[in-house]
Amino acid sequence: MLEGLHPNRPTHVFRITTDERSARAMTDMIGEIFDPAETAVASFETEDDGPWLLEAYFAHQPDEAAIRDLLRPIVGAEADKGVFLPLEQKDWVKSSLEGLKPVRAGRIFVHGSHDREQRLPSDIAIEIEAGLAFGTGHHGTTKGCLLAFVDELKMRTPRHVLDVGTGTGILAFAAAKVLKRPVVAGDIDPEAVRVARENARLNGIAAWMKLYVGPGIRHAEADRPGHFDLVFANILAKPLRMLAPALARVASDDGTIILSGLLYRDVPGVLSAYAHQGWYLQRRYNLDGWAALVMTRGSARALPRQ
């Protein structure tokens, strides 16, 4: 489970090993209290049914005592076992992409600048320079959405696309390049939108991107009832559940909603939230422990795909 982008030049990291409940609670707390442009937090399972590791990255030297006091109500004395470490200054963008292989979903080809020569003439190529693999197409959630989009195109051609929680812009870029139409995309994090705007220029599609900063659909470009026949939302389970009424409202009656950012155990709760809005699972994609869900209005028809 990942939250946010690395600060541009992180100087310190805090690490603590704990149980899943505590890791999730601390991730939520740090993510809510600290400026996302200055701090990023990640928590993940280190092995099957094993302990969880939380990592928080800071752009400036953190107040260690204050952070321990902040976490103490959640983990008690275990907060004192967390470790603060200085980080070697480096180019995080370059280092995060070095060694990452390109990602292909049908003709969609996501790559860094160092893999341009691998593009084929028929590819719909998307070049991304970003601070984390999450959002560059290498993460299972993003690739799952891309595969779902490719299969959606085999059945119909969407005309109005919305990408909620766009991150570095991958899904919106894929839709714009394939459909050759403007795409609305937003994120609650201004830094993410800045990165997406730069990536859009890099890919020559800035004119097609209608980017906004705001939570969910809280923007005039996005809050358009019944307008979008394809909606992407690659976020996390809790916000996806909370957004169910809003996404159902802006999606057209014959539209499709593609959801991801979900661990397998999160899927039932998300399906329930959307079922209450009249949306049901049509296809599911499982990749690297993450699930992507394709939802439509009407009766349920689950078609799992690995």
Side-chain angles (χ1 to χ4, degrees):
M1 170 167 79
L2 298 182
E3 298 279 354
L5 297 171
H6 271 301
N8 289 335
R9 296 183 66 84
T11 63
H12 292 76
V13 61
F14 169 72
R15 295 190 177 101
I16 185 171
T17 300
T18 184
D19 59 273
E20 178 184 355
R21 181 195 64 80
S22 298
R24 288 180 178 272
M26 289 189 292
T27 298
D28 290 342
M29 178 178 289
I30 293 173
E32 290 175 4
I33 291 177
F34 291 92
D35 183 347
E38 301 289 333
T39 307
V41 59
S43 59
F44 47 90
E45 193 174 24
T46 56
E47 57 186 75
D48 291 342
D49 298 321
W52 279 54
L53 175 65
L54 178 143
E55 294 184 331
Y57 293 86
F58 301 90
H60 307 287
Q61 184 170 357
D63 185 332
E64 298 184 12
I67 292 173
R68 294 188 197 279
D69 288 343
L70 180 69
L71 301 181
R72 213 177 306 280
I74 299 175
V75 293
E78 294 295 311
D80 295 323
K81 296 182 179 180
V83 177
F84 288 88
L85 296 171
L87 292 174
E88 176 187 356
Q89 290 303 297
K90 60 198 297 186
D91 185 339
W92 286 93
V93 171
K94 181 179 179 180
S95 64
S96 67
L97 288 172
E98 287 177 350
L100 288 180
K101 296 181 180 179
V103 171
R104 182 176 295 281
R107 291 174 55 212
I108 300 172
F109 183 71
V110 183
H111 65 92
S113 59
H114 54 290
D115 283 315
R116 289 174 183 166
E117 69 282 358
Q118 296 192 39
R119 295 176 296 188
L120 300 176
S122 59
D123 281 342
I124 299 167
I126 300 172
E127 183 172 318
I128 294 294
E129 301 296 349
L132 282 180
F134 188 89
T136 64
H138 300 83
H139 195 277
T141 61
T142 309
K143 186 173 181 179
C145 289
L146 289 173
L147 291 171
F149 176 53
V150 168
D151 285 344
E152 188 72 10
L153 292 172
K154 296 174 183 176
M155 296 177 282
R156 66 190 188 95
T157 302
R159 291 180 55 80
H160 304 291
V161 179
L162 171 65
D163 182 14
V164 178
T166 193
T168 51
I170 281 286
L171 302 178
F173 297 171
K177 283 205 165 192
V178 171
L179 302 173
K180 294 180 171 57
R181 295 183 58 84
V183 172
V184 178
D187 201 287
I188 194 172
D189 183 0
E191 178 66 12
V193 173
R194 183 192 67 78
V195 171
R197 186 170 284 112
E198 290 183 359
N199 283 330
R201 285 196 291 267
L202 176 67
N203 284 272
I205 54 173
W208 285 346
M209 300 308 303
K210 297 182 178 181
L211 292 163
Y212 67 90
V213 177
I217 62 165
R218 294 184 193 173
H219 190 276
E221 290 283 3
D223 194 358
R224 305 175 67 180
H227 179 71
F228 298 99
D229 53 357
L230 178 61
V231 177
F232 292 108
N234 181 16
I235 317 176
L236 290 170
K238 182 178 179 180
L240 285 179
R241 293 195 301 268
M242 295 175 64
L243 282 170
L247 298 188
R249 179 163 56 83
V250 300
S252 63
D253 288 341
D254 61 347
T256 298
I257 300 176
I258 298 176
L259 307 173
S260 197
L262 304 169
L263 297 171
Y264 296 161
R265 60 173 167 269
D266 296 325
V267 170
V270 171
L271 290 179
S272 177
Y274 284 80
H276 279 88
Q277 306 300 322
W279 289 75
Y280 298 93
L281 179 68
Q282 296 301 307
R283 301 191 304 279
R284 172 174 172 169
Y285 300 74
N286 295 332
L287 288 171
D288 304 327
W290 299 85
L293 312 176
V294 178
M295 313 292 293
T296 60
R297 295 188 194 269
S299 60
R301 180 172 59 89
L303 298 175
R305 168 173 172 165
Q306 297 294 330

